[in-house]
Amino acid sequence: MKKKIAIIGSGIAGLILANLFKNNSTFEITIYEKEKILSLDEGYGIQLAPNSIRILNKINFFNFKNNNLSNPSKLDFYSKDNKKICDISLDKFNTDKVKYTTLKRSTLIEFLKDGLFLNNIKFGKQVKKVSKIKGKLLINFLDNTNDLVDYIVISDGVFSNTKSVIENKITQPIYSGSIAVRTLIKNTQNYPFVKKNISLIMLKNSHIVIYPVNKKNELNLVCIIRQSLKDKIDLNSIVENKIVSQNKNLKNLFTNKLEWWPIYLTKKPYKSTYENLFYLGDAFYTFLPTMAQGASQSIEAAHELFNLFSQNTKNLQNIYFKKRLERIKLVNNRSIVNYHSFHLANPLMVKVRNLILKKITKSEKFLNRYLGNIYEKIED
């Protein structure tokens, strides 16, 4: 008899997990999404390192149209005056079919959606209550429907309302002290950096990351700025005072529509009181964006959970939790180091940082330890 898995939330993590299960006849998968439709707005860009591309290739991502994504070969570091400091070759972590990839989030969502059957996703479903019945979990939805399942996977984001409902306590994240400002650059006529590469511009108390998201010369720009939420958020003023004031030549990068969001962090990873319920993606843990591993770790976690289910692993929740904690510690430590080093303000410290960057980016041993341990081959 098939085991039923309910996935709450149709973001990247939930859709990946459902796609991995598509050809596994042992399980019946249903995604429950509180919105009426999947959001396929133009959206912002995401970076996918080799650790996540290897997993996506298991669901035929290698056949995806190349004009809808990009494969930057270098990460270029720049000082606040647009002078290049050094670069890291991303090709050293690539193979013919596994390459560092950048694209729009909406593009990946559409690819994942198209891989599923229509009856795999049910919209307008918000969890009201979960209760245990003879080893199974009964989900009651606000529309007065219900489903009795063997497992529940919660993947409804960092502000998981479902988590608070299920655990019967508030489980809200904390504000990191920074906001992200995003825009899409479509006119690259006077673009000061190498368009095919990822450009990282390090400023005082902020940094900018720019990368291509397709073969149409569209570039995604994300600027991480230290900012109190107590102050009024006037994007044009913030960009002018905290970015352009440091380098007037950056002003042309912010001429299109700007969007922003506060960056929140998970207080600590959470294990459910129900042994057959699992948190996935941002609902499990949210990283600082300074290792560009948010989406990749969601994909990686979905793959780990899929393997544990498929292997009929005993003590499944504890094993999954332990494996995730190990990866979180590794990625999070690097994210914190990057966050502080990208935002240095003291001129002497900036000079020292730049000298260190020039040295370590040429060290194969360092790159293999610092990045290779993140991009390493994923276990089958």
Side-chain angles (χ1 to χ4, degrees), residues 74-79 82-88 198-202 338 341-342 353-354 357 361:
K74 287 185 179 181
L75 167 59
D76 295 328
F77 292 87
Y78 292 90
S79 60
N82 288 6
K83 290 183 179 179
K84 185 175 175 180
I85 302 168
C86 57
D87 62 60
I88 292 175
I198 301 171
S199 298
L200 172 60
I201 305 99
M202 297 177 288
N338 288 355
S341 63
F342 294 167
R353 176 201 64 196
N354 293 350
L357 270 174
T361 52

Side-chain angles (χ1 to χ4, degrees), residues 190-345:
N190 297 313
Y191 184 67
F193 310 110
V194 181
K195 288 183 285 187
K196 66 179 181 179
N197 294 344
I198 301 171
S199 298
L200 172 60
I201 305 99
M202 297 177 288
L203 305 155
K204 176 183 176 181
N205 295 324
S206 61
H207 74 279
I208 301 171
V209 179
I210 312 172
Y211 52 86
V213 289
N214 51 38
K215 297 296 191 295
K216 304 172 188 175
N217 279 332
E218 291 183 330
L219 303 170
N220 184 79
L221 180 151
V222 176
C223 185
I224 308 301
I225 305 172
R226 299 200 186 200
Q227 175 69 37
S228 170
L229 291 184
K230 294 179 181 179
D231 302 327
K232 181 181 178 181
I233 302 297
D234 180 339
L235 285 186
N236 291 325
S237 177
I238 289 173
V239 169
E240 184 68 31
N241 295 331
K242 297 195 174 184
I243 302 298
V244 177
S245 64
Q246 300 187 57
N247 181 349
K248 300 295 183 184
N249 294 323
L250 296 174
K251 188 177 183 65
N252 291 335
L253 300 177
F254 295 90
T255 55
N256 285 344
K257 179 184 176 183
L258 302 178
E259 299 177 359
W260 78 280
W261 64 93
I263 298 173
Y264 285 92
L265 303 174
T266 308
K267 292 180 181 179
K268 63 177 181 178
Y270 200 86
K271 187 192 298 184
S272 178
T273 53
Y274 297 107
E275 68 273 8
N276 44 348
L277 189 149
F278 307 85
Y279 294 107
L280 183 63
D282 285 346
F284 186 90
Y285 193 84
T286 305
F287 300 90
L288 282 167
T290 43
M291 270 298 293
Q293 273 286 302
S296 288
Q297 285 305 306
S298 291
I299 294 169
E300 195 177 293
H303 183 248
E304 286 176 1
L305 196 53
F306 166 74
N307 281 343
L308 291 170
F309 275 127
S310 300
Q311 296 161 8
N312 196 25
T313 306
K314 294 182 179 180
N315 201 22
L316 196 157
Q317 188 191 64
N318 288 333
I319 294 174
Y320 169 73
F321 192 77
K322 182 180 178 181
K323 287 172 72 72
R324 275 291 89 205
L325 281 183
E326 291 173 355
R327 287 298 274 175
I328 283 171
K329 184 177 180 181
L330 185 67
V331 175
N332 196 47
N333 286 344
R334 285 159 172 70
S335 299
I336 293 170
V337 169
N338 288 355
Y339 179 74
H340 290 293
S341 63
F342 294 167
H343 289 194
L344 290 177

Side-chain angles (χ1 to χ4, degrees), residues 127 129-130 154 160-171 270-275 277-279 317:
V127 176
K129 181 183 177 183
V130 170
I154 308 297
S160 176
N161 180 66
T162 311
K163 184 190 291 186
S164 297
V165 169
I166 290 173
E167 308 302 340
N168 197 28
K169 64 179 180 180
I170 297 175
T171 58
Y270 200 86
K271 187 192 298 184
S272 178
T273 53
Y274 297 107
E275 68 273 8
L277 189 149
F278 307 85
Y279 294 107
Q317 188 191 64

Side-chain angles (χ1 to χ4, degrees), residues 92-93 363-374:
K92 73 185 302 296
F93 303 106
S363 170
E364 290 289 322
K365 184 177 180 180
F366 173 82
L367 292 177
N368 286 333
R369 288 182 60 190
Y370 199 78
L371 293 178
N373 284 345
I374 304 295

